[in-house]
Amino acid sequence: MMQRRTFLTAAVAPLLSARSMAAGNRLRVGQPVPMFETVSLQGQPVSLESAIRDHKAVIILFTSTVCPYANYFAPHVRELSETFESRGALVIGVNSNNWESRQDVLDHIRERRFSFPMVKDEGHVIADLFEASRTPEAFLVDGSGRLRYQGWVKSKQESPDLQRALEDVLAGRPVRRPVTKAFGCAVDRF
């Protein structure tokens, strides 16, 4: 049974996240993830709790419209979303950069032909909850709401670690490589 989490408001979430980090309570693989609710740029409600309840796996992907690494891996992310949707997986894209407008992100969704929900993370609430620092950076959550993978989409040598982790979670296996070091552009919090 999934542990019930309280939804956080934009005003409270950064404070709670900062306290957790200060106390050494960083999000780790195997732990329940923090829940959030918002509305996608496509106009649909996005609730992580509902997504977890309705899917076997959820990828929270921090991305950017201009980061060359995020753009390089965009076709792979689109393919993952399209391929694994029928197997019970959902991708939720998150753009937390201050200097990228909602319109920039909407244009990017259309250009990249993303069909998954994309949210604009005003005030870095979601990025702070997950302590996301890079784009692209992926957080894979299983159907019980626990973090199973955190890190890159693929390595610089094209090792598809996120895809392998997703396959492991969907098959009910332990993730072979649950943490990788995300590389790319910094999430802009200023």
Side-chain angles (χ1 to χ4, degrees), residues 46-63:
V46 175
S47 161
L48 183 55
E49 184 175 36
S50 294
I52 290 168
R53 186 175 48 247
D54 297 341
H55 296 86
K56 296 176 184 175
V58 178
I59 298 168
I60 297 100
L61 178 68
F62 291 86
T63 190

Side-chain angles (χ1 to χ4, degrees), residues 35-184:
M35 297 294 136
F36 63 86
E37 260 187 334
T38 188
V39 176
S40 74
L41 289 170
Q42 297 97 326
Q44 302 300 316
V46 175
S47 161
L48 183 55
E49 184 175 36
S50 294
I52 290 168
R53 186 175 48 247
D54 297 341
H55 296 86
K56 296 176 184 175
V58 178
I59 298 168
I60 297 100
L61 178 68
F62 291 86
T63 190
S64 165
T65 65
V66 297
C67 175
Y69 298 101
N71 286 327
Y72 180 79
F73 292 118
H76 178 66
V77 169
R78 184 181 62 243
E79 182 180 317
L80 280 178
S81 175
E82 292 169 355
T83 301
F84 288 93
E85 181 179 28
S86 65
R87 293 181 53 196
L90 174 69
V91 174
I92 300 172
V94 180
N95 181 299
S96 299
N97 290 329
N98 279 338
W99 48 272
E100 294 179 74
S101 73
R102 297 172 71 82
Q103 190 59 54
D104 291 339
V105 180
L106 278 168
D107 292 344
H108 192 251
I109 293 167
R110 286 185 205 102
E111 289 167 9
R112 298 294 178 175
R113 300 186 323 269
F114 290 150
S115 60
F116 53 84
M118 180 73 73
V119 301
K120 183 68 177 139
D121 183 21
E122 307 290 349
H124 319 103
V125 174
I126 301 169
D128 288 347
L129 285 173
F130 282 82
E131 301 171 37
S133 62
R134 297 274 171 233
T135 63
E137 185 170 10
F139 294 80
L140 174 60
V141 182
D142 67 16
S144 71
R146 295 190 178 276
L147 182 64
R148 297 287 303 279
Y149 172 86
Q150 175 182 351
W152 58 46
V153 171
K154 282 186 176 184
S155 72
K156 291 179 184 176
Q157 291 79 31
E158 298 286 322
S159 177
D161 295 288
L162 173 59
Q163 180 176 336
R164 288 180 184 148
L166 181 56
E167 290 169 348
D168 287 343
V169 167
L170 292 174
R173 298 185 299 251
V175 174
R176 293 168 270 183
R177 188 172 184 190
V179 177
T180 58
K181 184 173 173 66
F183 63 92

